[in-house]
Short mmCIF file of all heavy atoms in Angstrom, two decimals:
data_model
loop_
_atom_site.label_atom_id
_atom_site.label_comp_id
_atom_site.label_asym_id
_atom_site.label_seq_id
_atom_site.Cartn_x
_atom_site.Cartn_y
_atom_site.Cartn_z
N CYS A 1 -38.37 -10.89 51.09
CA CYS A 1 -37.42 -11.06 52.19
C CYS A 1 -36.90 -12.49 52.24
O CYS A 1 -35.70 -12.72 52.37
CB CYS A 1 -38.08 -10.72 53.52
SG CYS A 1 -38.46 -8.98 53.75
N ALA A 2 -37.80 -13.44 52.13
CA ALA A 2 -37.43 -14.85 52.20
C ALA A 2 -36.53 -15.26 51.03
O ALA A 2 -35.65 -16.12 51.18
CB ALA A 2 -38.68 -15.72 52.23
N ASP A 3 -36.73 -14.65 49.88
CA ASP A 3 -35.93 -14.97 48.70
C ASP A 3 -34.60 -14.22 48.65
O ASP A 3 -33.81 -14.42 47.74
CB ASP A 3 -36.72 -14.66 47.42
CG ASP A 3 -37.88 -15.60 47.22
OD1 ASP A 3 -37.92 -16.66 47.89
OD2 ASP A 3 -38.76 -15.29 46.38
N GLY A 4 -34.38 -13.31 49.61
CA GLY A 4 -33.12 -12.58 49.66
C GLY A 4 -33.03 -11.44 48.67
O GLY A 4 -31.94 -11.01 48.32
N GLN A 5 -34.16 -10.93 48.21
CA GLN A 5 -34.16 -9.84 47.23
C GLN A 5 -33.97 -8.48 47.86
O GLN A 5 -33.64 -7.52 47.18
CB GLN A 5 -35.47 -9.86 46.44
CG GLN A 5 -35.65 -11.07 45.59
CD GLN A 5 -36.98 -11.04 44.84
OE1 GLN A 5 -37.76 -10.11 44.97
NE2 GLN A 5 -37.24 -12.07 44.06
N ILE A 6 -34.18 -8.38 49.17
CA ILE A 6 -34.04 -7.10 49.87
C ILE A 6 -32.78 -7.18 50.73
O ILE A 6 -32.70 -8.01 51.64
CB ILE A 6 -35.27 -6.80 50.74
CG1 ILE A 6 -36.55 -6.81 49.88
CG2 ILE A 6 -35.12 -5.47 51.44
CD1 ILE A 6 -37.83 -6.69 50.67
N PRO A 7 -31.79 -6.32 50.47
CA PRO A 7 -30.55 -6.39 51.25
C PRO A 7 -30.74 -5.88 52.68
O PRO A 7 -31.48 -4.94 52.92
CB PRO A 7 -29.60 -5.47 50.46
CG PRO A 7 -30.49 -4.55 49.71
CD PRO A 7 -31.75 -5.31 49.43
N GLY A 8 -30.08 -6.54 53.62
CA GLY A 8 -30.07 -6.09 55.00
C GLY A 8 -31.25 -6.52 55.85
O GLY A 8 -31.35 -6.09 56.99
N VAL A 9 -32.13 -7.36 55.32
CA VAL A 9 -33.28 -7.79 56.13
C VAL A 9 -32.82 -8.73 57.23
O VAL A 9 -31.84 -9.44 57.09
CB VAL A 9 -34.39 -8.46 55.29
CG1 VAL A 9 -34.97 -7.51 54.30
CG2 VAL A 9 -33.89 -9.70 54.64
N THR A 10 -33.55 -8.70 58.34
CA THR A 10 -33.24 -9.54 59.47
C THR A 10 -34.53 -10.13 59.99
O THR A 10 -35.57 -9.50 59.96
CB THR A 10 -32.59 -8.70 60.60
OG1 THR A 10 -31.46 -8.04 60.07
CG2 THR A 10 -32.16 -9.57 61.75
N LYS A 11 -34.44 -11.35 60.44
CA LYS A 11 -35.60 -12.00 61.04
C LYS A 11 -35.54 -11.73 62.55
O LYS A 11 -34.56 -12.04 63.20
CB LYS A 11 -35.59 -13.49 60.75
CG LYS A 11 -36.90 -14.14 61.01
CD LYS A 11 -37.30 -14.98 59.84
CE LYS A 11 -38.70 -15.46 60.07
NZ LYS A 11 -39.05 -16.59 59.30
N PHE A 12 -36.58 -11.10 63.06
CA PHE A 12 -36.66 -10.76 64.47
C PHE A 12 -37.82 -11.56 65.05
O PHE A 12 -38.99 -11.18 64.88
CB PHE A 12 -36.88 -9.25 64.62
CG PHE A 12 -36.86 -8.78 66.05
CD1 PHE A 12 -35.69 -8.77 66.77
CD2 PHE A 12 -38.02 -8.34 66.65
CE1 PHE A 12 -35.67 -8.32 68.08
CE2 PHE A 12 -38.03 -7.89 67.96
CZ PHE A 12 -36.85 -7.89 68.67
N GLY A 13 -37.52 -12.68 65.67
CA GLY A 13 -38.57 -13.58 66.13
C GLY A 13 -39.19 -14.27 64.92
O GLY A 13 -38.49 -14.92 64.16
N ARG A 14 -40.48 -14.08 64.73
CA ARG A 14 -41.15 -14.67 63.56
C ARG A 14 -41.40 -13.65 62.47
O ARG A 14 -42.01 -13.96 61.46
CB ARG A 14 -42.49 -15.27 64.00
CG ARG A 14 -42.31 -16.47 64.87
CD ARG A 14 -43.57 -17.12 65.36
NE ARG A 14 -44.82 -16.60 64.84
CZ ARG A 14 -45.99 -17.12 65.10
NH1 ARG A 14 -46.08 -18.17 65.88
NH2 ARG A 14 -47.08 -16.60 64.60
N SER A 15 -40.94 -12.43 62.67
CA SER A 15 -41.20 -11.34 61.71
C SER A 15 -39.92 -10.87 61.06
O SER A 15 -38.84 -10.93 61.65
CB SER A 15 -41.84 -10.16 62.44
OG SER A 15 -43.01 -10.54 63.09
N TRP A 16 -40.05 -10.36 59.85
CA TRP A 16 -38.94 -9.75 59.16
C TRP A 16 -38.90 -8.27 59.49
O TRP A 16 -39.94 -7.63 59.63
CB TRP A 16 -39.10 -9.89 57.65
CG TRP A 16 -38.98 -11.29 57.14
CD1 TRP A 16 -40.01 -12.13 56.85
CD2 TRP A 16 -37.79 -12.00 56.85
NE1 TRP A 16 -39.52 -13.33 56.39
CE2 TRP A 16 -38.16 -13.27 56.38
CE3 TRP A 16 -36.44 -11.68 56.94
CZ2 TRP A 16 -37.22 -14.22 56.00
CZ3 TRP A 16 -35.51 -12.64 56.55
CH2 TRP A 16 -35.90 -13.89 56.10
N VAL A 17 -37.70 -7.71 59.61
CA VAL A 17 -37.54 -6.27 59.75
C VAL A 17 -36.61 -5.80 58.64
O VAL A 17 -35.65 -6.48 58.28
CB VAL A 17 -37.01 -5.86 61.14
CG1 VAL A 17 -38.07 -6.06 62.20
CG2 VAL A 17 -35.75 -6.59 61.50
N ILE A 18 -36.91 -4.64 58.09
CA ILE A 18 -36.19 -4.12 56.93
C ILE A 18 -35.55 -2.79 57.33
O ILE A 18 -36.23 -1.94 57.93
CB ILE A 18 -37.17 -3.92 55.75
CG1 ILE A 18 -37.81 -5.26 55.42
CG2 ILE A 18 -36.47 -3.33 54.55
CD1 ILE A 18 -39.02 -5.18 54.54
N PRO A 19 -34.26 -2.60 57.02
CA PRO A 19 -33.61 -1.34 57.39
C PRO A 19 -34.33 -0.14 56.78
O PRO A 19 -34.78 -0.18 55.64
CB PRO A 19 -32.20 -1.47 56.81
CG PRO A 19 -31.99 -2.93 56.62
CD PRO A 19 -33.34 -3.51 56.36
N ASP A 20 -34.41 0.92 57.55
CA ASP A 20 -35.05 2.15 57.10
C ASP A 20 -34.25 2.74 55.95
O ASP A 20 -33.03 2.77 55.98
CB ASP A 20 -35.11 3.14 58.27
CG ASP A 20 -36.01 4.32 57.99
OD1 ASP A 20 -36.77 4.27 57.02
OD2 ASP A 20 -35.94 5.29 58.77
N GLY A 21 -34.94 3.18 54.91
CA GLY A 21 -34.27 3.79 53.75
C GLY A 21 -33.87 2.81 52.67
O GLY A 21 -33.19 3.17 51.72
N THR A 22 -34.28 1.55 52.80
CA THR A 22 -33.96 0.55 51.78
C THR A 22 -34.73 0.83 50.51
O THR A 22 -35.92 1.13 50.54
CB THR A 22 -34.31 -0.87 52.29
OG1 THR A 22 -33.59 -1.11 53.50
CG2 THR A 22 -33.94 -1.93 51.27
N GLU A 23 -34.06 0.76 49.38
CA GLU A 23 -34.68 0.98 48.07
C GLU A 23 -35.52 -0.23 47.68
O GLU A 23 -35.17 -1.37 48.00
CB GLU A 23 -33.61 1.20 47.01
CG GLU A 23 -32.74 2.42 47.24
CD GLU A 23 -33.39 3.68 46.75
OE1 GLU A 23 -34.19 3.62 45.80
OE2 GLU A 23 -33.12 4.73 47.35
N LYS A 24 -36.59 0.02 46.95
CA LYS A 24 -37.43 -1.06 46.45
C LYS A 24 -36.67 -1.82 45.36
O LYS A 24 -36.22 -1.21 44.39
CB LYS A 24 -38.73 -0.49 45.87
CG LYS A 24 -39.67 -1.53 45.31
CD LYS A 24 -40.92 -0.88 44.77
CE LYS A 24 -41.84 -1.89 44.13
NZ LYS A 24 -43.03 -1.27 43.56
N PRO A 25 -36.49 -3.15 45.51
CA PRO A 25 -35.79 -3.90 44.48
C PRO A 25 -36.63 -4.04 43.22
O PRO A 25 -37.87 -3.90 43.25
CB PRO A 25 -35.55 -5.27 45.12
CG PRO A 25 -36.53 -5.36 46.21
CD PRO A 25 -36.87 -3.98 46.64
N GLN A 26 -35.97 -4.32 42.13
CA GLN A 26 -36.66 -4.50 40.85
C GLN A 26 -37.51 -5.75 40.90
O GLN A 26 -37.09 -6.79 41.42
CB GLN A 26 -35.64 -4.61 39.73
CG GLN A 26 -36.25 -4.72 38.36
CD GLN A 26 -35.19 -4.81 37.27
OE1 GLN A 26 -34.01 -4.88 37.56
NE2 GLN A 26 -35.63 -4.81 36.06
N ASP A 27 -38.71 -5.67 40.37
CA ASP A 27 -39.63 -6.80 40.32
C ASP A 27 -39.21 -7.71 39.18
O ASP A 27 -39.23 -7.31 38.02
CB ASP A 27 -41.06 -6.30 40.12
CG ASP A 27 -42.10 -7.37 40.35
OD1 ASP A 27 -41.72 -8.54 40.60
OD2 ASP A 27 -43.29 -7.05 40.27
N LYS A 28 -38.83 -8.95 39.50
CA LYS A 28 -38.32 -9.87 38.49
C LYS A 28 -39.37 -10.84 37.97
O LYS A 28 -39.06 -11.75 37.22
CB LYS A 28 -37.13 -10.65 39.07
CG LYS A 28 -35.98 -9.74 39.41
CD LYS A 28 -34.81 -10.50 39.92
CE LYS A 28 -33.68 -9.53 40.26
NZ LYS A 28 -32.51 -10.23 40.77
N ARG A 29 -40.64 -10.63 38.37
CA ARG A 29 -41.69 -11.51 37.87
C ARG A 29 -41.99 -11.16 36.42
O ARG A 29 -41.90 -10.01 36.00
CB ARG A 29 -42.97 -11.34 38.69
CG ARG A 29 -42.82 -11.76 40.12
CD ARG A 29 -44.08 -11.50 40.89
NE ARG A 29 -44.28 -10.06 41.00
CZ ARG A 29 -45.38 -9.50 41.48
NH1 ARG A 29 -46.37 -10.24 41.90
NH2 ARG A 29 -45.48 -8.20 41.55
N VAL A 30 -42.35 -12.18 35.63
CA VAL A 30 -42.69 -11.97 34.23
C VAL A 30 -44.16 -11.60 34.15
O VAL A 30 -45.03 -12.36 34.55
CB VAL A 30 -42.41 -13.25 33.40
CG1 VAL A 30 -42.84 -13.07 31.98
CG2 VAL A 30 -40.94 -13.61 33.47
N LYS A 31 -44.45 -10.41 33.65
CA LYS A 31 -45.82 -9.94 33.55
C LYS A 31 -46.25 -9.70 32.11
O LYS A 31 -47.33 -9.25 31.85
CB LYS A 31 -45.97 -8.62 34.32
CG LYS A 31 -45.66 -8.71 35.77
CD LYS A 31 -45.88 -7.37 36.41
CE LYS A 31 -45.26 -7.26 37.75
NZ LYS A 31 -45.38 -5.92 38.31
#
């Protein structure tokens, strides 16, 4: 959320909220 990888996230107070039905983004970490 902090890196902007999930579209449509909003910070509500001190917590992040994610829109219902959002697809899981691709993991860009090198494994």
